[in-house]
């Protein structure tokens, strides 16, 4: 973690090409800011239901900011050929 208080938690996620993050759950809505990379995927846990039950791949665009809802159990996978880095800001409003 880079920063945390009662309102937000900020952290950085970095993955080398082919690297897979540990299985995790986002307990709060969050914003991701792409810093570097070319392609990323999210893989839900087996048997996942709800909003986050499908495998998703997306291009990484430096500076792109995306708001995502809290939800299911997943892993991030760097499916690109470049080092992946993103800043994640979790919003503790719930």
């Amino acid at each position: 973690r880079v920063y945390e208080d009662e309102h937000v938690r900020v952290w950085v996620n970095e993955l080398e090409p082919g690297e897979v993050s540990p299985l995790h759950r986002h307990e709060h809505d969050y914003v991701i800011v792409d810093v570097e990379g070319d392609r990323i995927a999210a893989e839900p846990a087996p048997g996942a239901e709800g909003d986050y039950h499908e495998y998703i791949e997306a291009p990484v665009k430096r500076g792109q900011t995306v708001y995502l809802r809290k939800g299911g159990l997943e892993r991030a996978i760097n499916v690109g050929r470049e080092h992946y880095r993103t800043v994640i800001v979790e919003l503790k409003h719930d």
Side-chain angles (χ1 to χ4, degrees):
R1 292 190 178 112
V2 177
Y3 176 81
E4 185 169 4
D5 66 17
E6 67 273 10
H7 304 289
V8 299
R9 177 183 302 135
V10 180
W11 49 288
V12 175
N13 185 22
E14 295 191 67
L15 299 169
E16 293 300 327
E19 188 175 0
V20 180
S21 76
L23 200 57
H24 62 277
R25 181 184 315 273
H26 291 277
E27 299 292 336
H28 306 282
D29 292 350
Y30 59 106
V31 175
I32 61 170
V33 181
D34 289 339
V35 177
E36 61 183 303
D38 58 336
R39 194 146 188 87
I40 192 70
E43 178 182 64
E49 297 178 2
D51 292 344
Y52 300 98
H53 67 280
E54 294 182 7
Y55 175 88
I56 299 169
E57 276 191 33
V60 175
K61 298 177 184 168
R62 184 175 291 194
Q64 175 176 260
T65 302
V66 179
Y67 173 81
L68 297 162
R69 307 282 287 160
K70 65 182 176 182
L73 204 51
E74 66 180 14
R75 312 181 159 79
I77 306 168
N78 183 348
V79 293
R81 291 182 284 171
E82 300 175 10
H83 178 83
Y84 172 75
R85 181 170 34 169
T86 190
V87 175
I88 300 167
V89 180
E90 294 184 25
L91 309 168
K92 298 178 171 182
H93 56 72
D94 37 281

